[in-house]
């Protein structure tokens, strides 16, 4: 099974100098930003969240199949004084892994706060969690549903300050659903996203549509 060093080496080899944090789409040259919440629906409408889940799942299913080899990497941002034993991100693996015992394979590293600016006083740090598995090992449907519902109610083992990245190591693509409003997908090569770009073009966030269109209409790989 992959460990933190293996996963970080993979990222460096395939996504060199990528900052694996928000906003993922702006941290890489080849990607798509989708709007998954329906702008014509009210946030108080339960159907809004059902709609967002369906969109997020449809895109996810285009990118992954049950036998896809993946890395699941999670960032959790905590006060500088919090210890590894007090970190809570491990609960995501405990809750959403189909084989609950697999959470013991998760590796945790403390790294500098992902959003630390030069010269700022250090108040926070980031715990980064690593696991190598297959999609079939993970209850991703429940997790996606949890993420899009996070603003409606608190959920055990997940909060809006967690960042969860599904990395398809067979196709070199990364999926990050950040809330009911949207998700990012990026790839080492744009050919890996051509089908998603064409099939779900109407869901691309208009704010970034021009930039995304230029990427996929250009000759870059």
């Amino acid at each position: 099974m992959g460990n933190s060093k293996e996963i970080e080496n993979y990222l460096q080899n395939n996504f060199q100098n990528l900052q694996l944090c928000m906003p993922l789409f702006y941290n890489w040259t080849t990607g798509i930003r989708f709007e998954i919440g329906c702008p014509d629906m009210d946030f108080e409408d339960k159907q809004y969240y059902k709609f967002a889940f369906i969109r997020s799942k449809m895109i996810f299913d285009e990118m992954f199949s049950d036998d896809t080899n993946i890395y699941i990497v999670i960032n959790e941002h905590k006060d500088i004084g919090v210890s590894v034993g007090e970190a809570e991100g491990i609960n995501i693996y405990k809750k959403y892994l189909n084989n609950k015992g697999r959470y013991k394979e998760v590796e945790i590293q403390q790294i500098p706060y992902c959003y630390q600016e030069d010269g700022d006083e250090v108040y926070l740090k980031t715990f980064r969690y690593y696991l190598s598995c297959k999609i079939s090992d993970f209850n991703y449907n429940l997790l996606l549903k949890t993420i899009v519902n996070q603003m409606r109610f608190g959920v055990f083992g997940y909060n809006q300050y967690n960042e969860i990245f599904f990395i398809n190591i067979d196709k070199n693509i990364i999926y990050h659903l950040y809330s009911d409003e949207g998700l990012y997908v990026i790839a080492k090569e744009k050919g890996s996203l051509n089908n998603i770009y064409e099939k779900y073009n109407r869901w691309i966030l208009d704010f970034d549509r021009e930039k995304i269109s230029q990427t996929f209409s250009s000759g870059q790989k």
Side-chain angles (χ1 to χ4, degrees), residues 10 16 27 48 60 66 69-70 79 98 104-105 112 114 123 150 162 167 173-174 183 186 197 200 221:
Y10 164 84
Q16 190 173 20
N27 295 342
Y48 170 89
F60 191 98
D66 283 351
N69 295 301
I70 63 168
D79 184 88
N98 292 322
K104 296 178 182 178
E105 300 174 22
C114 290
Y123 293 105
Q150 65 179 292
N162 295 132
I167 305 173
I173 52 182
I174 302 177
L183 67 87
I186 66 170
Y197 169 74
Y200 301 108
K221 292 184 178 180

Side-chain angles (χ1 to χ4, degrees), residues 99-218:
N99 180 346
K100 306 303 182 187
R102 290 285 307 277
Y103 85 88
K104 296 178 182 178
E105 300 174 22
V106 176
E107 289 194 26
I108 309 173
Q109 285 189 347
Q110 296 182 49
I111 63 174
Y113 181 49
C114 290
Y115 306 103
Q116 185 71 32
E117 298 286 344
D118 290 342
D120 285 354
E121 191 168 348
V122 178
Y123 293 105
L124 298 170
K125 63 183 174 182
T126 297
F127 291 102
R128 180 165 285 175
Y129 302 77
Y130 304 85
L131 179 68
S132 172
C133 61
K134 290 185 178 293
I135 280 293
S136 57
D137 296 324
F138 209 78
N139 191 343
Y140 64 89
N141 280 321
L142 181 58
L143 179 58
L144 298 182
K145 189 174 293 184
T146 298
I147 295 172
V148 299
N149 281 282
Q150 65 179 292
M151 300 305 290
R152 295 177 61 208
F153 47 81
V155 182
F156 168 77
Y158 183 81
N159 65 65
Q160 61 182 313
Y161 303 109
N162 295 132
E163 299 162 350
I164 304 176
F165 305 95
F166 288 89
I167 305 173
N168 183 330
I169 61 176
D170 298 328
K171 296 182 179 179
N172 298 321
I173 52 182
I174 302 177
Y175 174 107
H176 174 51
L177 174 65
Y178 55 88
S179 74
D180 58 271
E181 296 181 352
L183 67 87
Y184 304 123
V185 294
I186 66 170
K188 180 179 180 180
E189 298 180 351
K190 74 173 186 178
S192 302
L193 298 179
N194 278 338
N195 183 59
I196 294 172
Y197 169 74
E198 294 172 2
K199 190 170 184 178
Y200 301 108
N201 191 278
R202 65 193 183 280
W203 296 350
I204 291 174
L205 187 70
D206 285 338
F207 182 81
D208 293 303
R209 180 174 293 278
E210 183 177 355
K211 176 179 184 295
I212 295 166
S213 297
Q214 288 175 351
T215 296
F216 284 86
S217 63
S218 71

